[in-house]
Amino acid sequence: MRTPFSLLAERWQPSAAMVRRAAFAALVMSVVIVATGGAVRLTASGLGCTTWPRCTGDSLTPTPEMGFHGVVEFTNRMLTYVLSAAVGWAILAARCHRPWRHSMTRLGWAQFWLVMSNAVLGGITVLTGLNPYTVAGHMIAAMALVWVALLMWERSKEGDGAPRLSVARPIHQLSYVLVAVVGLLVAAGTLVTGAGHHPGTPQDNKIVPRIPIDYDRLAQFHADFAFVSVGLTIALIFVFAAVKAPPAAKARTKELLAVLLLQGVLGFIQYFTDAPELMVGLHMLGATLTWIAALRIPLALRTREEVALEQLPTQTPQTAAV
């Protein structure tokens, strides 16, 4: 059974380096879409387009009357197509590479469906008037996209063999505990934003709901996770030194600590300066980089060898259609 993908694969076989570049491009765009989404909120352009999927009830694009806010919101929507193109390139490169690595193709399609679902969630966010809980869900879904994009990029540099741990299993599990804590740190940050100073519309707009919890308490709750994350990271640095973990794992843990400390400085500055837009934007970008830095640590604690061609799964009519 031939499909457009299989026909293309007969005529174009990208190199492994091209697959890595395509996966990296998808990862970069997943970070960019988080940053531009933050810019929409921080420029008070969250309702620059008043509905979804059109920008207004009568126009697909912003009208001159919508001004700057309409342009910002619509630009962020258009960047979703650039992200989709990057993900599409990654899917095609993985599918047409020889030998065909099914796991890479699945990771590419997982990104595609995350992009589509997050676009719908973004539309729901607009239709619900920037409800803070849907905004938080929109951010968390974007972080899920970053996770899968990072995993595809890291897998593009490995083989398809069974993973082999480079450290004892409890230490590997401890690295995932750190990932979970950093994930909770990021999630807590979305709650702080939902109760904070930037609802996504001009300050005189009282229609946008806010999370009905004291802002200072949520900020302290967020800071507590930051302290735990820093403590766990320092502990892992000493553990990795004691067990002679791979150099890559040691380096990545130190990188995470550096990003966490920088995030802490940014967080304290924005808290005591009444959350200026630039500081909040840098903090959001830092949150994405912190998430990436944490996710890379467990991936440095195992190896995957190349699989001989005869050991790869054979293509069947069912898999050929993927």
Side-chain angles (χ1 to χ4, degrees):
M1 178 180 177
R2 293 196 167 194
T3 67
F5 291 108
S6 61
L7 292 174
L8 179 61
E10 292 175 1
R11 294 163 175 77
W12 177 54
Q13 288 85 41
S15 65
M18 180 175 287
V19 175
R20 287 193 294 271
R21 287 194 294 269
F24 184 69
L27 173 60
V28 170
M29 279 307 305
S30 71
V31 175
V32 168
I33 204 70
V34 172
T36 58
V40 170
R41 167 178 286 274
L42 296 173
T43 58
S45 303
L47 295 177
C49 287
T50 55
T51 188
W52 183 89
R54 304 171 71 88
C55 196
T56 71
D58 301 318
S59 174
L60 181 64
T61 60
T63 61
E65 294 76 17
M66 302 175 75
F68 171 77
H69 298 307
V71 172
V72 172
E73 164 65 4
F74 187 72
T75 299
N76 183 62
R77 293 187 183 188
M78 291 300 98
L79 281 174
T80 301
Y81 293 102
V82 180
L83 170 62
S84 299
V87 171
W89 180 31
I91 293 172
L92 289 177
R95 174 62 182 85
C96 296
H97 177 66
R98 287 292 180 267
W100 175 17
R101 297 176 59 187
H102 297 69
S103 59
M104 291 285 291
T105 308
R106 285 193 290 267
L107 288 171
W109 280 111
Q111 290 180 70
F112 173 80
W113 291 115
L114 280 169
V115 171
M116 294 300 103
S117 61
N118 211 16
V120 173
L121 185 55
I124 294 173
T125 299
V126 172
L127 296 175
T128 56
L130 303 186
N131 180 285
Y133 299 106
T134 60
V135 172
H138 195 39
M139 176 67 171
I140 291 172
M143 289 300 180
L145 173 63
V146 170
W147 185 355
V148 179
L150 173 67
L151 184 56
M152 184 176 185
W153 179 54
E154 291 284 350
R155 287 298 314 278
S156 70
K157 299 179 285 184
E158 303 174 326
D160 267 333
R164 294 183 179 180
L165 295 183
S166 305
V167 295
R169 185 169 297 277
I171 296 175
H172 189 244
Q173 292 172 338
L174 180 60
S175 70
Y176 276 111
V177 172
L178 175 60
V179 169
V181 172
V182 171
L184 291 173
L185 170 66
V186 173
T190 65
L191 297 178
V192 176
T193 302
H197 303 75
H198 301 287
T201 60
Q203 291 291 340
D204 57 356
N205 188 335
K206 305 300 183 183
I207 300 176
V208 177
R210 310 303 292 143
I211 293 177
I213 303 177
D214 182 71
Y215 174 76
D216 292 334
R217 290 188 178 182
L218 281 176
Q220 183 60 58
F221 180 66
H222 180 51
D224 290 341
F225 277 112
F227 291 134
V228 174
S229 299
V230 170
L232 272 174
T233 304
I234 294 174
L236 269 183
I237 289 175
F238 283 104
V239 169
F240 286 172
V243 302
K244 295 182 174 56
K250 296 178 182 179
R252 292 180 183 186
T253 309
K254 293 175 183 177
E255 290 168 3
L256 173 60
L257 179 61
V259 176
L260 281 170
L261 293 177
L262 178 59
Q263 274 290 86
V265 172
L266 290 174
F268 276 110
I269 291 175
Q270 76 173 50
Y271 180 80
F272 290 108
T273 56
D274 204 28
E277 288 82 356
L278 178 61
M279 297 303 299
V280 177
L282 290 174
H283 199 55
M284 285 187 64
L285 176 61
T288 309
L289 298 179
T290 301
W291 180 230
I292 290 174
L295 289 169
R296 295 184 73 211
I297 295 174
L299 298 176
L301 295 174
R302 88 289 185 269
T303 59
R304 287 178 179 267
E305 301 296 334
E306 294 287 351
V307 178
L309 291 179
E310 60 271 13
Q311 293 177 296
L312 290 174
T314 57
Q315 181 170 304
T316 65
Q318 288 76 20
T319 60
V322 177

